[in-house]
């Protein structure tokens, strides 16, 4: 009996194991890590995704990849480190993905060299930077490149460490560790970053080394932050020497040595440690192997914001093996388990593998940022999780956080707690944050939207919502100190709402007292709606105040402005209550940056960005017919007259899918019950601008914001941020299962996909659905089934109420 039972159990176990084994699909094979690596001009990064390419984990701290030079500074985008055309200057441990502006990170380097003598000057990267031979190879958790000097580099990463495998030819073999290396901004870019100081110490005769580097600046004008490192080699070097040399990088007014030509390093043979800072010498070390034959030298490097000991410990706990493939395999496993396997689509003859690759690649790119720095906060003691690299919420509030909400609720709850903890200890929620420093604020205080979105969709867990609401209220009531940022001297760009004095006094942002008067009015309006949404539960007596304030945008609607046959636009208004009617043209934003009326988009576009009160907006546009005609014009080619630089490269419609403000615009036809047009417009954009190719993104990935737009498009739904409402569109897969809310299943079925993608009929959980929208509770909490019948007919299938305008206010 006992034996039989054992046999039975063993059979069960074997059987169970077999089932699990066959169910384990390696989805990582469908990820193209180069999507967005190039822009519309082949071979250049300009206008592309600015993505990171290299080894990393979901929301990992380490993003290990190459840094490169700029072929032409006026169109350079070094932000993600990797570029199609630059020469390799180093492999570094930390990167951003998808950002614009001046780069941040590109720090804690190694560079394999085959000569360190003249003309090579180890303090002058242009003397040793290496062109690459052939195409780089990348897959999830793995990157490979071949340098002109014959060295092949392969790498992978864990959450706080990296492993690099160098294959050297015969001859000299060196690895340079220049602690002063970082990704530079364009010359004279006031927001470039700099090296402040650091230390490097040889250990075990140079088989390992440790130290720290301190860096300042970058696009967010960050304060100095320090990263500790511990590195080690698989083979003991014959020689290891530390060096120092004057820092001649152009550092504005910081120090007298700046702006010179690169100087030369001095090796100090009587010490194994060099220290510098603040704001003086560069320090580093060179490791040399005298082995003549071809050889493989591997290195493992750990990083920490806390200490060398922690950096070292991460290697032991996360990369215990010297075999690169072990780390690659563990990365693939983690990505599959944590991310990819949570969405399943047919992978048989029903599959369009281009769509499959777009799906899993998009999932990959939305998990590169922010960084989970729990246990790695050097600034304050806290039991709360710690997160950094919200870079920026301006980008990801629109639809990325809503995706995290349903798809990664555990991480997301942790992020929200981390955001609130920043307010608790530093006074303000961030709008952007990187290197443990808030900044920059491009428009509103959009953490408000993030918190409200989480709140109205029921995220509670261990989030302290009393504090969460208090943090939002700080944004709404406290004027942040002016940071005198060279990009805009008028008010804080670091956090909060710089134009809050206007907003509190006038109810709008004025042209004469503030910059970005139109786009900030638009964003502050939604921010205050966000407050009203959370106040409803946390501070009911505040709700009406903020709801009224959320109508501020109506105060700058100028019914007299005419453009392309339409009248009534958001317009600049003086603080005395008069509109500026002279020479204003909503087709232009002029430089479209910090001093413009509208930021990175023209007033035509911003005049559609009122997600909380579409009802009033449609009224101001004089009704559904005029609204539809105006919306149609947004999609007409060759209409845009404003040059938007990399934020709209190659796009000639007013609708600019290459940047975030317009993300919801193609779906607005749902508000006039012409959902088929939303489907048509959004599909057209997706097909035209998103590809399984290096130039597959219409603009910066922006921490995955762009990729999330495509994800929602492929699911056939679009979230209305700060509300529990989702608009229905049209799905791309015949069948899709997605884990939502931790362990529930959302199934999205598309019958008739082969005949056309227009919606003929929808059922949700078996019930015929006559509205073109649904709410969180319908399928996102307990899971459920959305069943589309698709076909070729552009059908006005919906008859119910249009999507609600939950912030509707009549002034
Ligand atoms: C190369 O090194 C110089 C001198 O340190 C520095 O100013 C520059 O920013 C570096 N360039 C790149 C692309 O890393
Ligand atoms: C890369 O190096 C090659 C050879 O030294 C040089 O011709 C080329 O201009 C460099 N390109 C960049 C982008 O630095
Ligand atoms: C750099 O790019 C700018 C903008 O495209 C272009 O005008 C300029 O000619 C380029 N410079 C070089 C040296 O190629
Ligand atoms: C250190 O040793 C090297 C030779 O390995 C020599 O060229 C250099 O001058 C020495 N540095 C000092 C400061 O003595
Ligand atoms: C070399 O390092 C030793 C010990 O730190 C120091 O006393 C000496 O001044 C250094 N020499 C040079 C040339 O930097
Ligand atoms: C690593 O694994 C891949 C397959 O997963 C294999 O193709 C490759 O040769 C391996 N590399 C090494 C160095 O073992
Ligand atoms: C989705 O789940 C349902 C129910 O478990 C299953 O029948 C269907 O095959 C799944 N679809 C896919 C694409 O995995
Ligand atoms: C896959 O979909 C794309 C459109 O996204 C289409 O161009 C392509 O023809 C489809 N491939 C197949 C095999 O149907
Ligand atoms: C929320 O945090 C505040 C202090 O920041 C504390 O007083 C309060 O008890 C907390 N609420 C909960 C539910 O933990
Ligand atoms: C009104 O707007 C126009 C067009 O932007 C601008 O040139 C002009 O300076 C503004 N007038 C005032 C008084 O600011
Ligand atoms: C847009 O303008 C370009 C260049 O003038 C022209 O080639 C193209 O045909 C135009 N497209 C449309 C749809 O008018």
């Amino acid at each position: 009996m006992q034996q039989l039972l054992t046999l039975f159990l063993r059979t069960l176990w074997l059987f169970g194991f077999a089932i699990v084994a066959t169910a384990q699909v390696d989805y990582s094979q469908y990820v193209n890590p180069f999507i967005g690596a190039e822009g519309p001009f082949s071979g250049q990064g300009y206008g592309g995704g600015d993505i990171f390419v290299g080894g990393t984990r979901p929301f990992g701290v380490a993003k290990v990849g190459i840094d490169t030079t700029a072929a032409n500074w006026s169109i350079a985008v070094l932000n993600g480190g990797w570029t199609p055309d630059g020469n390799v200057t180093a492999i570094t441990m930390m990167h951003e993905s998808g950002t614009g502006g001046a780069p941040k990170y590109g720090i804690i380097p190694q560079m394999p060299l085959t000569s360190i003598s003249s003309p090579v000057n180890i303090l002058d990267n242009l003397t040793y930077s290496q062109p690459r031979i052939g195409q780089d190879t990348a897959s999830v958790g793995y990157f490979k490149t071949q340098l002109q000097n014959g060295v092949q580099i392969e790498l992978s990463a864990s959450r706080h460490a990296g492993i690099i495998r160098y294959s050297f030819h015969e001859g000299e073999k060196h690895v340079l560790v220049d602690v002063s290396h970082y990704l530079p901004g364009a010359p004279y870019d006031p927001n470039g970053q700099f090296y402040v100081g650091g230390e490097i110490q040889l250990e075990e005769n140079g088989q390992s080394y440790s130290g720290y580097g301190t860096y300042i600046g970058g696009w967010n004008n960050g304060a100095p932050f320090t990263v500790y490192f511990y590195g080690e080699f698989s083979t003991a070097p014959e020689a290891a020497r530390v060096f120092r040399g004057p820092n001649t990088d152009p550092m504005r007014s910081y120090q007298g040595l700046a702006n010179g030509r690169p100087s030369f390093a001095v090796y100090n043979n009587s010490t194994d440690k060099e220290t510098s800072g603040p704001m003086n010498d560069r320090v580093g070390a060179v490791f040399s192997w005298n082995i003549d034959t071809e050889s493989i030298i591997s290195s493992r490097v750990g990083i920490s914001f806390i200490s060398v000991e922690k950096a070292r410990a991460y290697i032991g706990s996360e990369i215990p093996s010297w075999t690169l493939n072990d780390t690659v395999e563990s990365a693939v496993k983690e990505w599959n388990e944590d991310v990819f396997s949570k969405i399943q689509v047919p992978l048989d003859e029903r599959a369009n593998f281009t769509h499959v690759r777009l799906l899993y690649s998009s999932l990959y790119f939305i998990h590169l940022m922010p960084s989970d720095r729990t246990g790695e906060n050097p600034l304050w003691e806290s039991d709360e999780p710690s997160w950094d690299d919200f870079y920026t919420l301006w980008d990801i509030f629109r639809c990325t956080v809503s995706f995290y909400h349903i798809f990664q609720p555990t991480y997301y709850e942790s992020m929200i707690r981390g955001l609130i903890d920043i307010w608790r200890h530093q006074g303000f929620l961030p709008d952007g944050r990187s290197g443990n420093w808030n900044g920059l604020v491009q428009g509103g205080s959009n953490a408000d939207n993030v918190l409200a979105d989480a709140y109205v969709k029921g995220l509670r867990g261990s989030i302290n919502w009393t504090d969460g609401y208090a943090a939002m209220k700080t944004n709404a009531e406290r004027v942040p100190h002016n940071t005198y940022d060279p990009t805009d001297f008028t008010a804080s760009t670091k956090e909060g709402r710089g134009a809050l004095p206007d907003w509190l006094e006038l109810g709008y942002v004025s042209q004469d007292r503030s910059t970005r008067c139109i786009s900030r009015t638009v964003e502050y309006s939604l921010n205050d709606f966000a407050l009203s949404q959370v106040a409803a539960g946390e501070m009911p007596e505040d709700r009406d105040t903020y709801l009224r304030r959320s109508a501020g945008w109506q105060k700058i609607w100028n019914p007299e402005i005419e453009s392309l046959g339409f009248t009534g636009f958001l317009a600049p208004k003086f603080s005395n209550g008069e509109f500026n009617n002279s020479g204003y043209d909503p087709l232009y934003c002029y430089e479209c940056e910090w001093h413009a009326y509208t930021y990175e988009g023209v007033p035509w576009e911003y005049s559609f960005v009122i997600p909380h009160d579409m009802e009033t907006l449609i009224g101001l546009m004089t009704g559904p017919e005029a609204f539809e005609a105006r919306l149609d014009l947004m999609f007409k080619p060759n209409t845009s007259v404003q040059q938007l630089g990399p934020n709209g490269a190659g796009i000639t419609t007013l609708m600019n899918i290459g940047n975030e403000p317009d993300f919801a615009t193609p779906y607005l036809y749902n508000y006039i019950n012409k959902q088929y047009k939303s489907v048509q417009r959004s599909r057209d954009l997706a097909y035209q601008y998103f590809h399984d190719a290096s130039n597959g993104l219409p603009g910066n990935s922006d921490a995955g914001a762009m990729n999330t737009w495509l994800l929602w498009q492929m699911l056939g739904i679009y979230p209305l941020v700060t509300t529990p409402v989702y608009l229905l569109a049209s799905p791309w897969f015949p069948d899709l299962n997605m884990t939502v809310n931790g362990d529930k299943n959302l199934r999205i079925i598309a019958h008739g996909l082969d005949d056309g993608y227009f919606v003929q009929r929808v059922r949700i959980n078996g019930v015929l659905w006559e509205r073109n929208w649904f709410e969180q509770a319908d399928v996102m909490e307990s899971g459920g089934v959305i069943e589309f019948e698709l076909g070729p007919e552009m059908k006005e299938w919906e008859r119910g109420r249009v999507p609600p305008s939950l912030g509707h206010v009549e002034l």
Side-chain angles (χ1 to χ4, degrees), residues 636-639 652:
K636 189 172 172 226
N638 291 354
T639 307
T652 69

Side-chain angles (χ1 to χ4, degrees), residues 402-459:
S402 308
F403 200 90
Y404 293 153
H405 188 120
I406 59 168
F407 192 67
Q408 297 290 10
T410 307
Y411 278 125
Y412 190 49
E413 180 190 330
S414 175
M415 282 180 212
I416 302 268
R417 290 171 62 189
L419 284 172
I420 295 171
D421 213 37
I422 292 167
W423 165 83
R424 216 175 263 132
H425 293 272
Q426 298 200 309
F428 275 97
L429 294 162
D431 193 57
R433 186 176 176 89
S434 189
N436 294 322
W437 188 259
N438 285 353
L440 299 179
V441 184
Q442 297 164 97
S445 51
N446 297 313
D448 301 340
N449 308 348
V450 177
L451 265 57
D453 200 56
Y455 190 82
V456 298
K457 290 173 179 169
L459 194 68

Side-chain angles (χ1 to χ4, degrees), residues 189-191 219 221 440 484-489 493 516 594-595:
D189 183 334
N191 296 47
W219 178 80
N221 296 325
L440 299 179
Y484 299 101
D485 175 357
T487 53
D488 185 354
F489 280 113
T493 57
R516 291 161 279 146
W594 303 88
H595 298 274

Side-chain angles (χ1 to χ4, degrees), residues 39-211:
F41 312 109
S42 173
Q44 291 177 11
Y46 181 77
D50 294 10
I51 52 159
F52 161 75
V53 180
T56 191
R57 303 290 172 109
F59 303 125
V61 174
K63 281 185 243 312
V64 186
I66 59 170
D67 291 348
T68 53
T69 58
N72 178 346
W73 272 116
S74 57
I75 51 167
V77 279
L78 306 186
N79 302 60
W82 192 95
T83 56
D85 52 352
N87 293 339
V88 178
T89 54
I91 302 125
T92 61
M93 295 295 295
M94 289 178 68
H95 290 93
E96 308 284 10
S97 187
T99 63
K104 185 109 183 167
Y105 301 151
I107 53 172
I108 316 302
Q110 287 191 359
M111 179 68 188
L113 299 175
T114 51
S115 166
I116 53 167
S117 49
S118 182
V120 168
N121 170 5
I122 56 171
L123 290 191
D124 184 353
N125 48 36
L126 298 184
T127 66
Y128 61 73
S129 67
Q130 289 293 315
R132 286 162 284 171
I133 308 291
Q135 296 292 308
D136 292 345
T137 306
S139 56
V140 171
Y142 177 76
F143 175 81
K144 178 170 86 170
T145 189
Q146 179 77 44
L147 305 183
Q148 191 179 60
N149 65 11
V151 184
Q152 175 182 277
I153 299 168
E154 293 168 279
L155 58 84
S156 187
S158 63
R159 301 191 78 82
H160 309 83
I163 177 165
I164 311 165
R165 187 173 188 271
Y166 302 110
S167 308
F168 281 96
H169 285 321
E170 297 170 23
E172 284 187 49
K173 300 172 184 63
H174 312 274
V175 170
L176 167 67
V177 175
D178 174 5
V179 180
S180 68
H181 173 97
Y182 57 87
L183 278 171
Y188 315 115
D189 183 334
N191 296 47
Q193 51 175 355
F194 300 105
Y195 160 79
V196 172
E199 179 169 289
I200 189 158
Q201 158 122 50
L202 305 178
E203 302 188 10
E204 302 172 79
N205 297 320
Q207 185 154 6
S208 56
Y209 63 94
S210 64

Side-chain angles (χ1 to χ4, degrees), residues 360-382:
Y360 290 107
S361 304
S362 302
L363 284 175
Y364 173 76
F365 282 109
I366 73 165
H367 288 81
L368 298 185
M369 300 232 282
S371 309
D372 183 353
R373 297 256 192 79
T374 301
E376 282 289 316
N377 181 357
L379 300 184
W380 61 84
E381 296 275 327
S382 176

